[in-house]
Amino acid sequence: MGSLDGRVAFITGVARGQGRSHAVRLAAEGADIIGVDICADISSNNYPLATRAELDETIGLVQEHGRRMIGSIADVREFATVRATLDAGVAEFGRLDIVCANAGIAPLSLEQVPIETELAQWTDVIGVNLSGTFHTVRAAIPHLVAGGRGGSIILTSSTAGLVGMGGLDGGGLGYAASKHAIVGIMRCLANNLAAQSIRVNTVHPTAVNTMMAVNPQMMEWAANNPDGGPHLMNPMPVSLLEPRDISDAVAFLASDAAKYITGVTLPVDAGFTNKL
C-alpha cells in the first residue's frame, strides 16, 4: 500500500529533472500522473530544455511502478493548452488530487548583454515561472473543488524566493521576482481554499543536480568566480541536492501525513536560507 494509492497528480515540467523525479516518486506511492512539458527550447534561455524522447522516458519510468501516465506537450505560458490538457487527463482518470507546479527556467547572462536580450529573458522567465504557475493552479482548482475530497497543491519556488538572491540582469532579477511571487500566490490560495480542505504549500530547493544548475553557462560562471560565491554554499556538506531529495518533500506534502499543513514555505536547502 502506498501513501497515495488511487490518487491522481498533475505535474508540469515533467519530462526530466525534478518534475520527472516527482512523477516517479508519486507513482511509487500509488498515484497516476497527468504530466506536461514544453519539449522545446526557449531562445532567451541559455541551456537546452527537455525533449519528447525524455517525456516518453518519464512515462516509461512511471509505468514501471504499475501506474498510468498521460504525458503531453504543453507550454505553461499558454493557459488554454494547459487547461485542455488537464481537462482531458481528468476525464480519463476521473479525478484530480495533487498539483505540482514545477515548470521553470533560469536564464543567466555571463556578461553584459543588449537590453533587448535582458527584456526577452525577463519576459520568458516571468512567463514560465510565474504565469505558468498561475495557469497551472487556475486550471486545476475547479477539478479539486468539484472532487470534494480536498487536495494538495505544491508550488516549486526556490531559495531565491526567500532571500535576496539574483543578479542585476533581466534573467536573474526575473527569476528572483518570480520565485518570490509564487509565495504570494501560495499564501492567498492557502487562505482561500482552506475551507475545501485543499492545502497549498511551496518548496524551496537549494541548487539541485539538474540541467538548470549544471549547464555550461552556470559551470562557466562558477569557474570564473571561485571567490565570488561563498554565500551560495550550503552549510551542510553537500554542494548539490538530487531531484529525489525534493521529491521526498513533495511526496510528504501530497500525503495525508501533511493533511493539516498549509500555507508553509518549506526549504529543502541543506541550511542555505538559515545561513543568509
Side-chain angles (χ1 to χ4, degrees):
M1 296 289 291
S3 64
L4 302 175
D5 281 347
R7 300 185 194 181
V8 174
F10 178 45
I11 304 173
T12 64
V14 76
R16 72 178 186 207
Q18 292 184 49
R20 170 186 285 181
S21 179
H22 300 345
V24 173
R25 175 60 191 277
L26 298 186
E29 295 293 341
D32 292 321
I33 309 296
I34 305 166
V36 299
D37 203 291
I38 189 172
C39 295
D41 290 339
I42 295 174
S43 60
S44 70
N45 195 56
N46 36 33
Y47 56 89
L49 299 179
T51 65
R52 177 73 224 198
E54 288 173 311
L55 177 57
D56 290 339
E57 185 177 352
T58 299
I59 294 171
L61 291 170
V62 167
Q63 291 172 340
E64 288 179 7
H65 288 282
R67 306 315 307 170
R68 298 171 294 166
M69 178 174 173
I70 299 172
S72 304
I73 295 176
D75 186 339
V76 294
R77 295 173 294 180
E78 300 172 359
F79 174 70
T81 304
V82 172
R83 181 169 62 179
T85 303
L86 178 57
D87 289 352
V90 174
E92 175 70 21
F93 290 150
R95 61 188 290 165
L96 180 67
D97 306 277
I98 302 156
V99 178
C100 297
N102 165 79
I105 60 172
L108 173 67
S109 296
L110 294 178
E111 56 190 24
Q112 187 172 356
V113 297
I115 184 60
E116 292 80 10
T117 301
E118 285 201 50
L119 292 174
Q121 290 177 333
W122 170 274
T123 297
D124 288 337
V125 73
I126 292 294
V128 174
N129 295 9
L130 182 55
S131 296
T133 294
F134 169 66
H135 294 161
T136 300
V137 297
R138 184 63 186 82
I141 287 169
H143 293 294
L144 295 174
V145 172
R149 296 177 293 269
S152 177
I153 299 174
I154 302 150
L155 310 180
T156 300
S157 181
S158 166
T159 50
L162 294 175
V163 296
M165 292 172 55
L168 295 174
D169 60 291
L173 288 176
Y175 185 82
S178 68
K179 294 303 187 179
H180 274 77
I182 286 170
V183 174
I185 291 175
M186 177 273 288
R187 287 174 171 155
C188 290
L189 291 181
N191 286 334
N192 283 283
L193 297 173
Q196 286 79 41
S197 296
I198 298 170
R199 300 173 288 107
V200 191
N201 298 285
T202 49
V203 291
H204 298 260
T206 187
V208 180
N209 186 19
T210 69
M211 184 63 75
M212 180 182 287
V214 185
N215 64 73
Q217 289 277 86
M218 190 68 73
M219 301 305 288
E220 182 179 346
W221 181 90
N224 292 334
N225 293 272
D227 300 319
H231 65 291
L232 300 180
M233 297 172 62
N234 302 317
M236 295 180 71
V238 57
S239 58
L240 291 171
L241 302 190
E242 293 299 324
R244 63 178 176 270
D245 298 320
I246 316 306
S247 299
D248 287 341
V250 167
F252 166 70
L253 290 172
S255 75
D256 289 343
K259 63 184 176 182
Y260 296 124
I261 298 176
T262 193
V264 166
T265 56
L266 178 61
V268 186
D269 69 349
F272 180 87
T273 52
N274 185 62
K275 172 183 176 181
L276 296 181

